Coordinates of all heavy atoms in Angstrom, one line a residue:
Chain B
F8 N -28.7 -27.9 -17.0 CA -30.0 -27.3 -16.9 C -30.6 -27.8 -15.5 O -31.2 -27.1 -14.8 CB -30.9 -27.7 -18.1 CG -32.4 -27.2 -18.0 CD1 -32.5 -25.9 -18.1 CD2 -33.3 -28.0 -17.7 CE1 -33.9 -25.4 -17.9 CE2 -34.6 -27.6 -17.6 CZ -34.9 -26.3 -17.7
D9 N -30.4 -29.2 -15.3 CA -31.1 -29.7 -14.0 C -30.3 -29.1 -12.8 O -31.0 -28.9 -11.8 CB -30.8 -31.2 -14.1 CG -31.8 -32.0 -15.1 OD1 -32.7 -31.3 -15.5 OD2 -31.5 -33.1 -15.6
Q10 N -29.0 -29.0 -12.9 CA -28.3 -28.4 -11.9 C -28.6 -26.9 -11.6 O -28.6 -26.5 -10.5 CB -26.8 -28.5 -12.0 CG -26.3 -29.9 -11.9 CD -24.7 -30.0 -12.2 OE1 -24.2 -29.2 -12.8 NE2 -24.2 -31.3 -11.9
C11 N -29.0 -26.3 -12.7 CA -29.5 -24.9 -12.6 C -30.8 -24.8 -11.8 O -30.9 -23.9 -10.9 CB -29.7 -24.2 -13.8 SG -28.1 -23.7 -14.7
L12 N -31.7 -25.8 -12.0 CA -32.9 -26.0 -11.4 C -32.7 -26.1 -9.9 O -33.5 -25.8 -9.0 CB -33.7 -27.0 -11.8 CG -34.3 -26.8 -13.2 CD1 -35.0 -28.0 -13.9 CD2 -35.2 -25.7 -13.4
Q13 N -31.5 -26.8 -9.6 CA -31.2 -27.0 -8.1 C -30.4 -25.8 -7.6 O -29.8 -26.0 -6.4 CB -30.4 -28.3 -7.9 CG -31.3 -29.5 -8.2 CD -30.5 -30.8 -8.5 OE1 -29.2 -30.9 -8.1 NE2 -31.1 -31.6 -9.3
N14 N -30.3 -24.7 -8.2 CA -29.6 -23.5 -7.7 C -28.2 -23.6 -7.6 O -27.5 -23.1 -6.6 CB -30.3 -23.1 -6.4 CG -30.3 -21.6 -6.3 OD1 -30.2 -20.9 -7.2 ND2 -30.4 -21.1 -5.0
E15 N -27.6 -24.5 -8.3 CA -26.0 -24.9 -8.2 C -25.3 -23.7 -8.9 O -25.4 -23.5 -10.2 CB -25.8 -26.2 -9.0 CG -24.3 -26.7 -9.0 CD -23.8 -26.8 -7.7 OE1 -24.5 -27.4 -6.8 OE2 -22.6 -26.3 -7.4
P16 N -24.5 -23.0 -8.2 CA -23.8 -21.8 -8.9 C -22.9 -22.1 -10.0 O -22.8 -21.3 -11.0 CB -22.8 -21.4 -7.7 CG -23.5 -21.9 -6.4 CD -24.1 -23.2 -6.8
R17 N -22.2 -23.2 -10.1 CA -21.3 -23.5 -11.3 C -22.1 -23.8 -12.5 O -21.8 -23.4 -13.6 CB -20.5 -24.7 -11.0 CG -19.3 -24.3 -10.0 CD -18.3 -25.5 -9.9 NE -17.2 -25.2 -9.1 CZ -16.2 -25.9 -8.7 NH1 -16.2 -27.0 -9.4 NH2 -15.3 -25.4 -7.9
A18 N -23.3 -24.4 -12.4 CA -24.1 -24.7 -13.5 C -24.7 -23.3 -13.9 O -24.9 -23.1 -15.1 CB -25.2 -25.7 -13.0
Q19 N -25.1 -22.4 -13.0 CA -25.6 -21.2 -13.3 C -24.6 -20.3 -14.1 O -25.0 -19.7 -15.0 CB -26.1 -20.5 -12.1 CG -27.3 -21.0 -11.3 CD -27.6 -20.4 -10.0 OE1 -26.7 -19.9 -9.3 NE2 -28.9 -20.3 -9.7
E20 N -23.4 -20.4 -13.6 CA -22.4 -19.7 -14.4 C -22.2 -20.3 -15.9 O -22.1 -19.5 -16.8 CB -21.0 -19.8 -13.7 CG -20.0 -18.9 -14.4 CD -18.6 -18.9 -13.6 OE1 -18.5 -19.5 -12.6 OE2 -17.8 -18.1 -14.1
A21 N -22.3 -21.6 -16.1 CA -22.2 -22.2 -17.4 C -23.4 -21.7 -18.3 O -23.2 -21.4 -19.4 CB -22.3 -23.7 -17.3
L22 N -24.6 -21.6 -17.6 CA -25.8 -21.1 -18.4 C -25.5 -19.6 -18.7 O -25.9 -19.2 -19.9 CB -27.0 -21.3 -17.6 CG -28.3 -21.0 -18.3 CD1 -29.4 -21.9 -17.7 CD2 -28.8 -19.5 -18.1
Y23 N -25.0 -18.9 -17.8 CA -24.7 -17.5 -18.1 C -23.7 -17.4 -19.2 O -24.0 -16.6 -20.2 CB -24.2 -16.8 -16.8 CG -23.7 -15.3 -17.0 CD1 -24.5 -14.4 -17.1 CD2 -22.3 -15.1 -17.3 CE1 -24.0 -13.0 -17.4 CE2 -21.8 -13.9 -17.5 CZ -22.7 -12.9 -17.5 OH -22.2 -11.6 -17.8
Q24 N -22.7 -18.0 -19.2 CA -21.6 -18.0 -20.2 C -22.2 -18.4 -21.6 O -21.8 -17.8 -22.6 CB -20.4 -18.9 -19.8 CG -19.7 -18.5 -18.6 CD -19.1 -17.2 -18.7 OE1 -18.9 -16.5 -19.7 NE2 -18.6 -16.6 -17.5
A25 N -23.1 -19.3 -21.6 CA -23.8 -19.8 -22.9 C -24.6 -18.7 -23.6 O -24.6 -18.6 -24.8 CB -24.5 -21.1 -22.6
Y26 N -25.2 -17.9 -22.7 CA -26.2 -17.0 -23.2 C -25.7 -15.4 -23.1 O -26.5 -14.6 -23.6 CB -27.6 -17.0 -22.6 CG -28.3 -18.4 -23.0 CD1 -28.2 -19.6 -22.3 CD2 -28.9 -18.4 -24.2 CE1 -28.8 -20.6 -22.7 CE2 -29.7 -19.5 -24.6 CZ -29.5 -20.7 -23.8 OH -30.2 -21.8 -24.2
A27 N -24.8 -15.2 -22.3 CA -24.4 -13.8 -21.9 C -24.2 -12.8 -23.2 O -24.8 -11.8 -23.3 CB -23.2 -13.7 -21.0
S28 N -23.3 -13.4 -24.1 CA -23.0 -12.5 -25.2 C -24.3 -12.1 -26.1 O -24.5 -11.0 -26.4 CB -22.0 -13.2 -26.3 OG -20.8 -13.4 -25.5
R29 N -25.1 -13.2 -26.4 CA -26.3 -12.9 -27.1 C -27.3 -12.0 -26.5 O -27.8 -11.1 -27.0 CB -27.0 -14.4 -27.5 CG -27.7 -14.3 -28.7 CD -28.1 -15.7 -29.0 NE -29.5 -15.8 -29.1 CZ -30.2 -17.0 -28.7 NH1 -29.6 -18.1 -28.5 NH2 -31.5 -16.9 -28.7
M30 N -27.4 -12.2 -25.2 CA -28.3 -11.3 -24.4 C -27.8 -10.0 -24.2 O -28.6 -9.1 -24.2 CB -28.7 -12.0 -23.1 CG -29.4 -13.3 -23.1 SD -30.9 -13.1 -24.1 CE -30.7 -14.3 -25.4
Y31 N -26.5 -9.8 -24.1 CA -26.0 -8.5 -24.0 C -26.2 -7.7 -25.3 O -26.5 -6.6 -25.2 CB -24.5 -8.6 -23.6 CG -23.8 -7.2 -23.4 CD1 -24.3 -6.3 -22.5 CD2 -22.6 -6.8 -24.1 CE1 -23.8 -5.1 -22.3 CE2 -22.0 -5.6 -23.8 CZ -22.7 -4.7 -22.9 OH -22.1 -3.5 -22.7
G32 N -26.1 -8.5 -26.4 CA -26.3 -7.8 -27.7 C -27.8 -7.3 -27.8 O -28.1 -6.2 -28.2
L33 N -28.7 -8.1 -27.3 CA -30.1 -7.8 -27.2 C -30.4 -6.5 -26.3 O -31.0 -5.6 -26.7 CB -30.9 -9.0 -26.7 CG -32.4 -8.8 -26.6 CD1 -33.0 -10.3 -26.9 CD2 -32.9 -8.4 -25.4
C34 N -29.7 -6.6 -25.2 CA -29.8 -5.5 -24.3 C -29.3 -4.2 -24.9 O -29.9 -3.1 -24.7 CB -29.1 -5.7 -22.9 SG -29.8 -7.2 -22.0
L35 N -28.2 -4.3 -25.5 CA -27.7 -3.1 -26.2 C -28.6 -2.5 -27.2 O -28.8 -1.3 -27.4 CB -26.3 -3.4 -26.9 CG -25.1 -3.5 -26.0 CD1 -23.9 -4.1 -26.8 CD2 -24.7 -2.2 -25.3
R36 N -29.3 -3.4 -28.0 CA -30.3 -2.9 -28.9 C -31.5 -2.1 -28.3 O -31.9 -1.2 -28.9 CB -30.8 -4.2 -29.8 CG -29.9 -4.7 -30.8 CD -30.5 -5.6 -31.7 NE -30.8 -6.9 -31.2 CZ -32.0 -7.4 -30.9 NH1 -33.0 -6.6 -31.1 NH2 -32.1 -8.6 -30.5
Y37 N -31.9 -2.6 -27.2 CA -33.0 -2.1 -26.5 C -32.8 -0.8 -25.6 O -33.7 -0.2 -25.3 CB -33.8 -3.2 -25.8 CG -34.7 -4.0 -26.5 CD1 -34.3 -5.1 -27.2 CD2 -36.1 -3.7 -26.7 CE1 -35.1 -6.0 -28.0 CE2 -36.9 -4.5 -27.4 CZ -36.4 -5.7 -28.1 OH -37.2 -6.4 -28.9
T38 N -31.6 -0.6 -25.4 CA -31.2 0.5 -24.4 C -30.5 1.6 -25.2 O -30.0 1.4 -26.4 CB -30.3 0.0 -23.3 OG1 -29.2 -0.7 -23.8 CG2 -31.0 -1.0 -22.5
G39 N -30.3 2.7 -24.4 CA -29.6 3.8 -25.0 C -28.1 4.0 -24.7 O -27.4 4.8 -25.3
S40 N -27.7 3.0 -23.8 CA -26.3 3.1 -23.4 C -25.8 1.7 -22.9 O -26.6 0.8 -22.6 CB -26.1 4.1 -22.3 OG -26.6 3.7 -21.1
R41 N -24.5 1.6 -22.8 CA -23.9 0.3 -22.3 C -24.2 0.1 -20.9 O -24.4 -1.0 -20.4 CB -22.4 0.5 -22.4 CG -21.8 0.2 -23.9 CD -20.4 0.1 -24.0 NE -20.0 0.0 -25.3 CZ -19.8 -1.3 -25.9 NH1 -20.1 -2.5 -25.2 NH2 -19.6 -1.4 -27.2
M42 N -24.2 1.2 -20.1 CA -24.5 1.1 -18.6 C -26.0 0.5 -18.5 O -26.2 -0.4 -17.6 CB -24.3 2.4 -17.9 CG -22.9 2.7 -17.7 SD -22.6 4.3 -16.8 CE -23.3 3.9 -15.3
E43 N -26.9 1.1 -19.1 CA -28.2 0.6 -19.1 C -28.4 -0.9 -19.5 O -29.1 -1.6 -18.9 CB -29.2 1.4 -20.0 CG -29.4 2.8 -19.3 CD -30.2 3.7 -20.2 OE1 -30.3 3.5 -21.4 OE2 -30.8 4.7 -19.7

Side-chain angles (χ1 to χ4, degrees):
Chain B
F8 179 72
D9 290 342
Q10 286 175 349
C11 285
L12 291 173
Q13 291 161 24
N14 214 22
E15 179 59 46
R17 286 190 181 182
Q19 287 176 331
E20 186 174 3
L22 187 145
Y23 169 82
Q24 297 298 349
Y26 287 94
S28 295
R29 213 170 111 204
M30 293 307 122
Y31 185 52
L33 183 149
C34 293
L35 281 170
R36 283 193 284 113
Y37 276 86
T38 56
S40 70
R41 284 182 178 273
M42 281 180 72
E43 285 175 338

